[in-house]
Amino acid sequence: MTVPAAFNAFRIHNDAAGYRGGIETVSIDELAPGEVVIKTAYSSINFKDALAGTGEGKILRSFPLVGGIDAAGHVVASSDAKFKEGDAVLVTGCGLSETRDGGYSEYARLQAKWTIPLPAGLSLRESMILGTAGFTAALALFRLLENRQAPELGPLAVTGATGGVGSLALDIFSRAGFEVHAISGKPEQADYLKSIGASQVLGRDALATARPMESARFGGGLDNVGGPMLASLLAQTAPYGNVASAGLAASHDLGTTVMPFIIRGVSLLGIASAGTARAIRDEIWQRLASDWKPAHLDRICTREVPLSELPQAFPAMLAGGSLGRTLVVI
Ligand SMILES: NC(=O)c1ccc[n+]([C@@H]2O[C@H](COP(=O)([O-])OP(=O)(O)OC[C@H]3O[C@@H](n4cnc5c(N)ncnc54)[C@H](OP(=O)(O)O)[C@@H]3O)[C@@H](O)[C@H]2O)c1
């Protein structure tokens, strides 16, 4: 298979004409170097993509770059012997749409060291319904379990529950045997949240407490929003429970005291999906394709968009309007 001389990509610029992103034609030689060229089948929209696509967050470190932190497709050509034409592969994070051209492109050029062979048990489509969001939820579970989180400690709270990371965490954590409580600002989505794994749906006011320690209500959890809700989750976590911090949909601040740590032995675990080491990355994708594979991927994929609809999708996400995952069909 050959790569056409010109193809479509959603490229982001920041120059004298201002910050802007849109579809344009590019050639393969304009993309950041890499050993593996793929014909992209799917990407997805993550919060970070919305920040990058609109300029609301400083995500790109050089310009112009093709957007999209996720990509999955078939190998067209590879100078690395580990990959051959026709192989199904995926990449999430690893500099895509930060320092390298990303997945919002009909063809993408990837670094072999970060390219994951599609694990048996997942289709390319499923791999991008998961994408960075699913990888992040699974990485959180991986870290919680490493630090001895157990169902006996109590339910896991998931904040930003209707979002991509939140929805996939409800499904993955409940499959792994935990009782999961969804914390959401969208009470009208309670049926959706229960249908994908939540045993209870609580309003954001469940995490509106301001004291450094409250009675322990949760065994731990995954926080996607930051700010006072994360502080409140720490204050309501049981002795030796763990809280994974993944997001800042509400705030990047964290005002708390050392009390949950030194009185209850609570741990705050950092989740940084983009820079996860290759060995852990491989292990997590194997789990996502087998015992941690969410049971409700089709329900969680609430929307499919072509490249041309990306600009309309970003603002609603930044305004907190997400529901599940948006798949980008290339
Ligand atoms: N650390 C990592 O490696 C990593 C990886 C992926 C994502 N993230 C971060 O995780 C967060 C979620 O990402 P995503 O892709 O899942 O985004 P998303 O699909 O847009 O979900 C975000 C959810 O957060 C909640 N939310 C939004 N604004 C809020 C506010 N002001 N206060 C409280 N809750 C609010 C909403 O859920 P409800 O309406 O249900 O409350 C929303 O659906 C983002 O901050 C993202 O940057 C981090």
Side-chain angles (χ1 to χ4, degrees):
M1 203 193 293
T2 52
V3 179
F7 51 86
N8 289 322
F10 179 88
R11 192 143 70 157
I12 301 164
H13 297 260
N14 189 12
D15 53 26
Y19 196 104
R20 67 204 181 277
I23 305 255
E24 50 190 88
T25 50
V26 298
S27 70
I28 200 76
D29 293 332
E30 289 176 71
L31 303 182
E35 301 81 16
V36 185
V37 176
I38 67 165
K39 185 173 194 313
T40 317
Y42 300 99
S43 180
S44 78
I45 306 185
N46 299 278
F47 199 82
K48 199 168 172 181
D49 293 312
L51 291 171
T54 56
E56 289 295 316
K58 288 199 175 83
I59 304 296
L60 273 62
R61 286 186 241 145
S62 67
F63 294 90
L65 278 186
V66 174
I69 65 172
D70 293 341
H74 288 106
V75 173
V76 176
S78 173
S79 60
D80 185 298
K82 287 195 287 302
F83 298 97
K84 61 178 192 317
E85 188 179 335
D87 286 353
V89 299
L90 66 100
V91 176
T92 59
C94 302
L96 296 189
S97 182
E98 257 184 86
T99 54
R100 310 176 43 75
D101 294 288
Y104 292 160
S105 179
E106 291 175 311
Y107 292 83
R109 198 147 68 160
L110 307 171
Q111 290 170 293
K113 65 178 177 180
W114 296 122
T115 303
I116 310 265
L118 184 73
L122 282 183
S123 65
L124 281 175
R125 184 174 183 280
E126 289 173 327
S127 80
M128 289 290 103
I129 298 174
L130 290 165
T132 285
F135 181 82
T136 301
L139 177 62
L141 181 59
F142 179 90
R143 296 218 60 201
L144 290 166
L145 294 175
E146 258 188 345
N147 216 31
R148 293 176 173 263
Q149 190 72 36
E152 296 70 39
L153 287 177
L156 294 178
V158 173
T159 64
T162 60
V165 178
S167 294
L168 289 161
L170 296 179
D171 200 331
I172 294 168
F173 293 3
S174 59
R175 266 210 82 182
F178 288 89
E179 182 182 339
V180 193
H181 291 187
I183 316 289
S184 176
K186 302 188 189 82
E188 71 281 6
Q189 296 301 341
D191 288 345
Y192 163 77
L193 294 167
K194 285 185 179 162
S195 77
I196 59 172
S199 63
Q200 286 194 36
V201 177
L202 308 173
R204 291 181 191 165
D205 56 349
L207 295 180
T209 57
R211 290 189 300 176
M213 292 244 291
E214 301 280 346
S215 55
R217 181 175 188 177
F218 304 107
L222 166 59
D223 176 58
N224 292 304
V225 305
M229 286 174 67
L230 173 55
S232 177
L233 177 52
L234 289 166
Q236 296 186 67
T237 292
Y240 285 96
N242 301 282
V243 176
S245 165
L248 41 51
S251 170
H252 57 247
D253 289 336
L254 175 58
T256 185
T257 72
V258 297
M259 292 306 183
F261 311 124
I262 66 172
I263 305 293
R264 291 207 179 127
V266 167
S267 294
L268 181 57
L269 306 176
I271 304 301
S273 63
T276 307
R278 176 71 198 232
I280 295 175
R281 203 169 268 280
D282 287 337
E283 192 175 334
I284 285 176
W285 277 108
Q286 288 304 327
R287 302 294 298 263
L288 281 169
S290 55
D291 55 334
W292 288 359
K293 182 174 177 179
H296 309 99
L297 282 177
D298 281 331
R299 196 168 301 158
I300 290 169
C301 181
T302 54
R303 197 169 165 205
E304 299 189 17
V305 297
L307 286 179
S308 58
E309 287 175 26
L310 287 170
Q312 294 94 287
F314 295 146
M317 185 170 223
L318 295 179
S322 293
L323 181 67
R325 290 277 290 158
T326 300
L327 187 69
V328 180
V329 182
I330 314 255

